[in-house]
Amino acid sequence: ACIFVAYPLMESALTMGICSVLLGFSLGSVQPMVMSMLHQITPQHRQGEALGLRLMVINASSVAMPMLFGAAGGVIGISALFWTVGAGVCCGVRPAWRMGTPQHADDTPPSGPPQLPR
């Protein structure tokens, strides 16, 4: 979120490049967690389908997102677009941190991977 907020304020190509590298590191570090989560929550006989669906969504977003963000940037401006994405990420931080934590004091978090019905 901080990188999205700071990116429009960068004035040189070097600082924009540094922001791009940091953004790439932060986004790339999530991939192993997503792959682990897919393997944990997907039944074993459906893991190939889940990975194929993930790959299809990634490829579709590689085509659609640049067009959508380019059009939105043309309408509201590039800085406002970066700040909007940063605000969206900020809004998702608290729910993401709360995932997996007990909702009540007497609840205990589950141990091990979730067990799916067979």
Side-chain angles (χ1 to χ4, degrees), residues 43-103:
Q44 190 170 8
H45 66 282
R46 296 272 179 144
Q47 287 178 352
E49 293 175 17
L51 295 175
L53 184 60
R54 175 187 170 272
L55 188 61
M56 185 178 72
V57 169
I58 287 172
N59 287 336
S61 67
S62 295
V63 173
M65 292 297 181
M67 290 190 296
L68 291 173
F69 285 130
V75 172
I76 65 172
I78 296 300
S79 296
L81 183 63
F82 272 97
W83 293 330
T84 302
V85 171
V89 172
C90 281
C91 290
V93 168
R94 185 171 181 179
W97 273 336
R98 294 182 61 176
M99 288 179 68
T101 59
Q103 298 297 320

Side-chain angles (χ1 to χ4, degrees), residues 1-10 15-16 18-28 30 65 69 77-93:
C2 294
I3 295 171
F4 282 119
V5 170
Y7 202 101
L9 304 174
M10 300 298 128
T15 56
M16 286 182 191
I18 291 170
C19 279
S20 295
V21 168
L22 292 174
L23 186 60
F25 281 147
S26 62
L27 294 175
V30 176
M65 292 297 181
F69 285 130
I78 296 300
S79 296
L81 183 63
F82 272 97
W83 293 330
T84 302
V85 171
V89 172
C90 281
C91 290
V93 168

